[in-house]
Amino acid sequence: MLILLIAFINFLPSLASANDVVYSNEVVVLVYHHIDDRDQSSVTISTELFEKQLEAMQRKGYHFISIDEFKSFKSEGTAIPDNAVLVTFDDGYKSFYTNAYPILKKMRIPAVNFVITKDLDNPEGTPLPSLSREEIKKMRQEFAGIDFQCHSDALHAMNSGKPLLTNKIIQNGITETDVEFKKRVLNDTRTGLSKLIEVNGSKSVDSYAYPFGSYDNQTITYLQEAGVKFAFTTKQGITTKETDSMQIPRINAGSPFIRPHSINNLIKQAMRHQIQPIQS
């Protein structure tokens, strides 16, 4: 009887926590990069840790939504469940297909991957293998909750130590003009969106994750002109109806140091430190 009582007491908090409403009419956006059991880095986690994180969140009463549901919430005020969570990935690594996708599909958890679209042309030619067009098409056909959006076409790079998206290129001592800079950003963004439309990456390809998290008011203006309606940052916070759709905060869950139970604490911390948007 004593053993049964101890087991019941240990299990009871989980039952209670699953019914807790941590937040309503808000969305936590998680960000991951690379899921792999051999590679090690600050943005790489194992398949086991990834699955345990998702399982722990489900036990805590979090509800996973798709990016379509997220966009409807932001643009139309569509109702979402309490404790809503959107899972995102950056960079479009092949490990999303081989390691993350099977877990997401099995658990029926939607997710969106922000792809560096130039890598679609040579997916095996990157330092870490990237997603191919065929893999994207296959995932989209098998599970409608999996979505692909843009992480730039060729602007996920640095020039003289500065992100290409937000800084003018200097070549042979000559700095590109305002007109050239704008044209470069517009062309790159439109190219990235078009490539994803061609592979049926999404019902609506209109979302973007800022390379290196770098952006400013000018960047926002150019991306909107190119057709971007939702843009995701690397700043910590949670999204409300009032959050600027071009400055959506995210919480980094893809670190090997974040244990399954830690994400709940990260979410509560983010709620206490909402980001302040760039002021025009």
Side-chain angles (χ1 to χ4, degrees), residues 171-196:
Q171 289 184 324
N172 299 321
I174 301 174
T175 303
E176 66 182 338
T177 65
D178 291 343
V179 172
E180 291 169 336
F181 175 51
K182 179 179 180 179
K183 182 178 179 181
R184 174 167 61 83
V185 173
L186 288 176
N187 287 346
D188 184 274
T189 306
R190 288 168 177 157
T191 298
L193 299 180
S194 295
K195 286 182 179 181
L196 290 170

Side-chain angles (χ1 to χ4, degrees), residues 8 12 27 53 90 130 144 164 169 180 199 211 217 247-248 262:
F8 178 75
L12 187 60
V27 182
Q53 285 182 350
D90 281 2
S130 300
L164 283 177
I169 294 175
E180 291 169 336
V199 296
N217 284 324
Q247 298 186 64
I248 298 165
S262 302

